[in-house]
Amino acid sequence: MKILRYGADRRTLCLIGAWYALMGYAWAASPSGFGVNVLLVAALCAGAFIGAVATHNAVHSPVFTARWMNNLWQVVLTLTYGHPVSSYVPGHNLSHHRHTETPRDVMRTDKARFRWHLLNLFFFTPSISRAILGAELDYARYAAGRHPRWARQLALEAVVMVAVVAALLAIDWRRTLLYVVIPWQYAAWGIVTMNLLQHDGCDATSPWNHSRNFVGPVVNWLAFNNGFHGVHHLKSTLHW
């Protein structure tokens, strides 16, 4: 029986598994040294960002052949990324991909227009977070009666995430903030900020130049070829 739709996703499973293993080590060891913790948190942030990229891929091209396994995988990714995976759909798939860089794109890059580009890099995510959250809530209300399967999956991911974080906070709030919440926040900031890097200054009306590509082999190995953003917009369901 074929489990994975594409064998390349063994890399996805291994990298996400490595993040969980590192998280388990950090939680169990809980080192006291400042330098060790800096390295641990940095590695967990990088791994959580990889989880966010895997989330992006999963909502475009499911990983497993069985629906229930994809549903379970989305729960696993939710705890890596720090946000219900299903909620990625309204702001990204239904808004950004359909209306790239137009007024109907809730993630359009002209929402951050500081004269100093470094400020755009830092504050692009906060500048669009309200619009993204609004799109997620609007779609959740819409889907409750029209797409109950999606709504149930969203509810499952949200309940599991809240329950896990509440339990971890009750056990040790310091470790939870350091090893869980900070990486989650970095992942959310990182995946949205990538939208700025991939689209700001590009020609949204061009059939080819609407996106910026990053072709480095190392970054694309770690990010599952998401540096090749132009072809992703041309055919978003194409596996990475």
Side-chain angles (χ1 to χ4, degrees):
M1 176 182 173
K2 187 178 181 182
I3 297 176
L4 294 174
R5 294 178 65 232
Y6 296 92
D9 273 317
R10 294 188 186 95
R11 186 193 308 173
T12 309
L13 300 182
C14 288
L15 289 176
I16 299 303
W19 184 87
Y20 272 93
L22 184 62
M23 172 64 70
Y25 166 77
W27 187 274
S30 188
S32 58
F34 177 78
V36 174
N37 272 306
V38 168
L39 291 175
L40 265 179
V41 172
L44 287 169
C45 286
F49 174 75
I50 290 173
V53 177
T55 292
H56 166 270
N57 293 352
V59 297
H60 280 292
S61 180
V63 171
F64 298 96
T65 56
R67 181 185 295 273
W68 72 268
M69 294 186 75
N70 285 310
N71 291 343
L72 179 60
W73 178 239
Q74 289 191 193
V75 174
V76 170
L77 290 176
T78 292
L79 297 177
T80 313
Y81 167 44
H83 204 66
V85 169
S86 294
S87 66
Y88 207 92
V89 172
H92 184 78
N93 296 45
L94 301 181
S95 177
H96 174 62
H97 270 273
R98 291 184 179 181
H99 312 290
T100 307
E101 289 293 280
T102 68
R104 295 181 67 183
D105 180 3
V106 297
M107 302 179 69
R108 65 186 183 274
T109 59
D110 63 5
K111 290 185 176 183
R113 275 292 171 264
F114 294 98
R115 294 183 64 183
W116 193 21
H117 290 311
L118 186 61
L119 293 180
N120 289 323
L121 186 71
F122 287 149
F123 295 110
F124 174 64
T125 297
S127 72
I128 67 172
S129 58
R130 184 176 178 180
I132 292 177
L133 181 60
E136 291 174 358
L137 293 175
D138 287 344
Y139 189 75
R141 286 190 287 266
Y142 165 82
R146 295 172 178 82
H147 301 290
R149 181 179 291 165
W150 180 89
R152 287 194 300 269
Q153 178 65 23
L154 174 68
L156 172 65
E157 294 160 7
V159 167
V160 170
M161 185 185 74
V162 170
V164 167
V165 124
L168 293 177
L169 285 170
I171 295 169
D172 190 320
W173 66 269
R174 292 180 181 85
R175 277 187 286 180
T176 303
L177 291 178
L178 188 62
Y179 301 134
V180 180
V181 175
I182 290 176
W184 280 2
Q185 292 303 306
Y186 177 82
W189 172 82
I191 197 67
V192 174
T193 301
M194 281 304 301
N195 190 72
L196 179 77
L197 299 177
Q198 290 165 334
H199 290 287
D200 190 42
C202 297
D203 183 1
T205 64
S206 169
W208 312 111
N209 297 323
H210 46 69
S211 306
R212 182 176 290 107
N213 295 303
F214 298 88
V215 299
V218 175
V219 69
N220 275 312
W221 191 91
L222 290 170
F224 314 112
N225 285 335
N226 272 264
F228 300 111
H229 201 63
V231 71
H232 174 61
H233 268 269
L234 292 173
K235 191 171 183 181
S236 61
T237 58
L238 186 68
H239 187 267
W240 62 266

